[in-house]
Amino acid sequence: MSGRYLLQKLARAVLTIIVIVLLNFLLFRAMPGSPARIASHHPGVTQAAIDQLAARWGLDKPLIPDQLVAYVNATLTGDFGLSYQFRGEPVTEVIGDRFWPTMILIGLGELFAIIIGLALGAYAGWRRGSAVDRVGGGISLVLYSMPYFVIGMPLIIVFAAGLGWFPTSGMFDAGATYASGLDQLLDFAHHLVLPLTTVTLGLVGAYSILMRSAIMETRSEDYITTARAKGLTDGRVLRTHAFPNALLPMVTIIAIDLGYVVAGAITAEVVFNWPGIGTLTVDALQARDYPVLQGIFLLLSFTVVLANLVADLVYGFLDPRVRV
Amino acid sequence: MTAAAVTSPPRRHRRLEAARDFAVRFSSRTDGVVGLAILLVFAILAIAPQLFVGPLETAVTATGSSLEAPSAAHLLGTDELGRDILNLTVHGARISMTIGFLATLITIALGAGIGIMSGYLGGKADALLMWLTDVFLVLPNFVLAIALAPILLDIIGAQAELFGIRATLLVIVVVIGVTSWATTARIIRSQVLSLKERMFVDRARVIGTGSGRIMRRHILPNVVNLIVAQSVLTFAYAVFTETSLSFIGLGDPFAPSWGEILAAAQSAGAPGLLAWWYIAAPAVSVVLVVVAFTLVGNALDDLLNPKSAVRR
Amino acid sequence: MTVQDAATLRARRQWPMPKQAVPGAPLLEVEDLSVRFRMPGGPSVKAVDGVSFRLEDGEAMGLAGESGCGKTTTALSLVRLLPANGRISSGSVRLFGIDLVPKTERQMARYRWREISMVFQGAMNALNPVKRVGDQIAEPIEIRLGQPRGAAQKRAAELLDLVGIPEKRASAYPHELSGGMRQRAMIAMALACDPALVIGDEPTTALDVMVQAQILALLERLRRDLGLSLMLITHDLSVIAETCDRVMIMYAGRVAEEGPVRRLFSAPRHPYTAKLLSSFPNIRADRRTLDTIPGSPPDLRKPPPGCRFAPRCAHAMPVCTEEAPTEVRFADGVRVACHLFPPGAQGVVASGVAASGIGGGLVRAAALPSAGGRP
Ligand SMILES: Nc1ncnc2c1ncn2[C@@H]1O[C@H](COP(=O)(O)OP(=O)(O)OP(=O)(O)O)[C@@H](O)[C@H]1O
Ligand code: SF4
Ligand SMILES: [Mg+2]
């Protein structure tokens, strides 16, 4: 990986973040009738509060440069304003509380889905037409076509409401007191099982379908013939020659897919009432809590851009040819 | 292409032949044919839902009582307002498919337009457009859609109607279209790049045809195949996204798409109440339609796209 | 080459011979090999049809013929690496007298690379782009010969040195090497298990002329020093003239003619060989007068009955389109399948078939002693 590649990717990430910040400004500030819009949706927000807001963001001043400068300054210092809904609380704190539950859900979901999806896809693509390929391919396509909440709802019906194995919602038992940290962790894990299964299943389909075609593409490469000519076992050819090469396009695809994962996680959280960014988004949507929505938009976009940057670096690390 | 354009009857002949040839090749793809059959069923339901289940039931005209399990009277049970789920689901087909169709139109128009311009013009325009495409690829479109939808709604007002379509639905359509064109643009662009190298473009350019004309007359007809395949795949994505957006409350309660029905089921606590029938029909419909579009799209892509590669 | 020689050559190899080897059997004996490719919704492609040949220890055989005549398919079937839709439909491939055709995939692994290794055309594609060259060379030593990693790496470095690549480039990735270096690395890899036979499938086609010459010289040297046998597939007849002892000309999946290089190039008997030679450019020939072979090879899904060359052959007779010619062997070791040489008429050549001076010119251009008169 050359320095130039690194710089190029960094530059792209920075540019994208600038676009996101500008877009955010345009969406939430420059749209016509912002203060009036706020007032119309929030009878509870007093005229005084709106005036205060207007003064704070310089809404009486021209959009560019004054408002933009004020906005960028605030954003850079992590000031996203105050939530309407959770009166008076800074947006950063409202979001901060919800950040980790979502990260755990998405992070673990990605981890499991990558392991299962890549393994299943690689095997199916390698043994094209085998039972694993046919059955796995069918299941993958169905999972791929299921919105996360469509996966989650039956899980609740069967395993929570029906069999009673897992709680139907939340992250901890309501009002529970714990004897030890371990107890608390176990309760958390118990609540996590179904949402995590939902996110994992939601991702596995896409990953295995994509990995299958990536493997099939490498299968016809000359170096695979070379590896077979070397008398390596079929499994070894797959593991040490086909897989590492098929992994390369997957890194990029998984990174680009992160946006969809975030989307899926939002709906999965709603189904299980998981106290993360997803449920917060829906609450904020209903309450038209624009500062919070704006903060969420920034946070999720940043995270995805950052993850893409990481993916680019991983790619540069995995593919010795990268020097662009 | 150009050779056949000189005389028209052989050309029509050839087109017919090509169409027949394509139909034969497509019919050998079992997956594509199965997908097409499923789509046909839903298309018929969507065109005339009232023929099959009567007019859309509302809280006022509901024919059952709250959350009835499936029975002879209500084959798929009822919702918490006593409305027949079968009735809702069949009408949902119309709404979901319409939104999917319109969103696909916008997505493909944007994607193909930007892809063709970017690929054909090259140079700075290409660099700029592709950078924009990259940004949109990275931006989580669903999140962008969530941010965009309420603002648009507030601006035009949820009750307004445009072209006879309620604003809420229109917003969903626009939001899906505006946020998901990037993949299409990428794919079309790469096809245009390789087309550009082909001779007939050079010939057209030498004769002095303008860029716009070349793009319309020479490039577009040659990427039509790709656009068709891509449209079908986009349709799957649009239905999927519409369902998700409706589910988190951006849908129109008066136009129950499948996502909207599922959202209602969720807020009525159907999963916890074990009211599986409330969820089953709309959920299965969504999955079937998305699967079907994906099957048809993949089959078309394999048949029409010269280099179908690993991609979303 | 005598049996004595074969024994010495075999004794020079470091690793034990396969246990089932038949004493006194030639290195490679291919008999009546036929390969078919299944095609979706249509007749299968008869890519190789009744090919037989024999290769002795230490011998180099060239394999030539128009594109699509089945050279690669023949080579790949020796190690049973045909594409998924390909199948050996009949015949035998005996290595040291062991028939490889009925072997299971697992049994077959024993013979790959340890006995027969390959050098493919584009080393850029034939080498794994994400693995270091040294590791790729060491891989078969470690996995197939069970050597410890350190020893395998050391051996890989030695092999690189042997083919003229500095040892420290072992840590390079394929894309970091020049085309010639990659091809050398590929050759080093082919030598990793000290095989009895190396197959080169157009190993120099992608290289420029200078590098081509270097690679060929390298192959030549290695063959001499290591006592390798070589099967060299190429379109470049002068390369065969320079490098090989014998040459086999294929047409549309069948052997047209086979024999000692000098005999065959100076006095081609099969009309196709003659055409091939006279259509081959060489330093002396005036390119404008070069012959081309009119027409194109037959569709191998439904090859013509009789001689497959008949539609393009200037000497075709009525019998040619009806019956496939049988092979006849001449006293000078040349084998021909053509109705111009019916069985029993050995040693007789019909007039006007043999190539004009161009074939001889080729041989001279290739710095071989001038060939003797025609039989
Ligand atoms: N996987 C396959 N499926 C169907 N037909 C094939 C396949 N591989 C090769 N063939 C056909 O078999 C015939 C022999 O091909 P082969 O690659 O052996 O030719 P070749 O002599 O090596 O040609 P070249 O000089 O171009 O390398 C050709 O007609 C080719 O089209
Ligand atoms: S058999 Fe007949 S057609 Fe074939 S090469 Fe000989 S003369 Fe020509
Ligand atoms: Mg070949």
Side-chain angles (χ1 to χ4, degrees), chain C residues 67-68 70-73 121 201-202 233 235:
Chain C
S67 192
K71 304 182 295 292
T72 301
T73 306
Q121 177 175 347
D201 190 352
E202 308 191 29
I233 299 174
H235 288 276

Side-chain angles (χ1 to χ4, degrees), chain A residues 161-206:
Chain A
L163 296 170
W165 292 355
F166 301 102
T168 49
S169 73
M171 194 159 79
F172 293 103
D173 280 340
T177 48
Y178 299 102
S180 67
L182 183 70
D183 267 6
Q184 191 175 0
L185 192 68
L186 282 178
D187 189 34
F188 174 76
H190 195 210
H191 281 79
L192 181 64
V193 172
L194 288 184
L196 182 58
T197 309
T198 304
V199 173
T200 306
L201 287 178
L203 279 169
V204 148

Side-chain angles (χ1 to χ4, degrees), chain C residues 270-272 307-311 313-317 320 325 337-340:
Chain C
H270 196 286
Y272 177 65
C307 174
R308 292 185 173 177
F309 188 54
C313 181
H315 305 274
M317 305 165 282
C320 297
C338 170
H339 286 300
L340 292 173

Side-chain angles (χ1 to χ4, degrees), chain B residues 58-176:
Chain B
T58 62
V60 182
T61 62
T63 52
S65 51
S66 184
L67 288 180
E68 276 181 54
S71 64
H74 301 282
L75 288 177
L76 296 176
T78 63
D79 73 355
E80 81 279 12
L81 298 175
R83 293 179 296 181
D84 184 69
I85 299 288
L86 180 63
N87 177 288
L88 293 182
T89 307
V90 171
H91 281 275
R94 171 175 219 146
I95 296 155
S96 288
M97 304 271 276
T98 309
I99 296 175
F101 178 74
L102 295 176
T104 302
L105 275 188
I106 298 184
T107 307
I108 294 297
L110 278 174
I114 289 176
I116 291 177
M117 282 209 293
S118 179
Y120 182 74
L121 297 177
K124 286 218 176 76
D126 180 33
L128 187 74
L129 287 174
M130 272 306 110
W131 174 70
L132 190 71
T133 308
D134 267 358
V135 170
F136 268 86
L137 266 185
V138 170
L139 267 186
N141 20 8
F142 192 74
V143 179
L144 183 58
I146 290 178
L148 209 54
I151 296 174
L152 285 182
L153 266 183
D154 285 353
I155 293 172
I156 39 183
Q159 305 312 319
E161 276 194 19
L162 281 166
F163 318 115
I165 304 169
R166 294 170 54 82
T168 322
L169 297 187
L170 208 65
V171 163
I172 288 203
V173 165
V174 170
V175 155
I176 295 176

Side-chain angles (χ1 to χ4, degrees), chain A residues 226-233 237, chain C residues 108-110 112-113 143-144:
Chain A
T226 306
R228 290 174 60 211
K230 282 175 167 178
L232 307 179
T233 58
V237 177
Chain C
M108 196 56 219
R110 162 67 181 79
R112 291 185 182 143
W113 223 253
I143 308 296
R144 298 299 314 287

Side-chain angles (χ1 to χ4, degrees), chain C residues 223-244:
Chain C
R223 182 162 81 91
R224 224 179 29 243
D225 296 353
L226 307 177
L228 286 175
S229 296
L230 192 63
M231 186 164 146
L232 190 63
I233 299 174
T234 174
H235 288 276
D236 191 337
L237 299 179
S238 66
V239 165
I240 294 183
E242 262 177 81
T243 329
C244 297

Side-chain angles (χ1 to χ4, degrees), chain C residues 21-300:
Chain C
V22 178
L27 170 70
L28 184 71
E29 207 170 13
V30 173
E31 226 169 299
D32 194 31
L33 180 73
S34 296
V35 177
R36 291 177 178 221
F37 290 107
R38 268 179 291 105
M39 298 303 277
S44 56
V45 175
K46 295 149 196 81
V48 172
D49 190 17
V51 166
S52 306
F53 63 93
R54 177 196 257 253
L55 199 60
E56 302 287 352
D57 293 79
E59 201 177 27
M61 186 174 87
L63 184 48
E66 268 166 301
S67 192
C69 70
K71 304 182 295 292
T72 301
T73 306
T74 305
L76 290 178
S77 33
L78 301 185
V79 276
R80 301 249 316 274
L81 281 177
L82 292 168
N85 61 336
R87 195 173 61 84
I88 296 181
S89 54
S90 72
S92 62
V93 174
R94 284 193 299 277
L95 183 79
F96 302 125
I98 310 163
D99 190 358
L100 300 182
V101 174
K103 296 275 182 221
T104 63
E105 191 64 8
R106 187 179 287 260
Q107 292 167 332
M108 196 56 219
R110 162 67 181 79
Y111 301 93
R112 291 185 182 143
W113 223 253
R114 272 192 68 167
E115 307 301 339
I116 304 179
S117 64
M118 307 189 83
V119 178
F120 296 101
Q121 177 175 347
M124 186 64 221
N125 300 326
L127 291 170
N128 190 330
V130 303
K131 290 184 81 160
R132 294 177 195 279
V133 171
D135 292 343
Q136 296 191 54
I137 299 172
E139 185 181 31
I141 304 174
E142 204 182 322
I143 308 296
R144 298 299 314 287
L145 300 175
Q147 298 284 69
R149 167 154 299 190
Q153 294 282 357
K154 193 160 152 284
R155 179 77 187 130
E158 285 170 19
L159 284 165
L160 281 174
D161 189 53
L162 183 70
V163 299
I165 297 179
E167 292 185 9
K168 62 176 194 302
R169 300 307 301 269
S171 61
Y173 287 98
H175 75 274
E176 293 169 335
L177 301 177
S178 69
M181 293 243 263
R182 278 198 292 269
Q183 206 54 275
R184 284 166 190 270
M186 190 74 211
I187 291 172
M189 191 159 89
L191 299 177
C193 298
D194 191 18
L197 168 63
V198 175
I199 300 173
D201 190 352
E202 308 191 29
T204 59
T205 308
L207 306 173
D208 67 58
V209 186
M210 286 294 287
V211 185
Q212 254 183 39
Q214 289 170 9
I215 297 287
L216 288 168
L218 171 68
L219 277 175
E220 189 56 29
R221 193 190 87 214
L222 291 171
R223 182 162 81 91
R224 224 179 29 243
D225 296 353
L226 307 177
L228 286 175
S229 296
L230 192 63
M231 186 164 146
L232 190 63
I233 299 174
T234 174
H235 288 276
D236 191 337
L237 299 179
S238 66
V239 165
I240 294 183
E242 262 177 81
T243 329
C244 297
D245 306 312
R246 287 192 305 134
V247 57
M248 183 160 91
I249 308 290
M250 287 182 70
Y251 183 79
R254 287 188 185 156
V255 179
E257 186 168 5
E258 184 261 337
V261 165
R262 292 182 199 183
R263 304 290 319 142
L264 205 127
F265 280 2
S266 60
R269 287 164 225 212
H270 196 286
Y272 177 65
T273 314
K275 276 291 185 191
L276 200 62
L277 283 171
S278 62
S279 67
F280 190 78
N282 64 61
I283 306 159
R284 295 239 193 121
D286 181 348
R287 279 170 189 270
R288 273 168 306 177
T289 63
L290 266 182
D291 259 9
T292 50
I293 311 178
S296 50
D299 181 351
L300 292 178

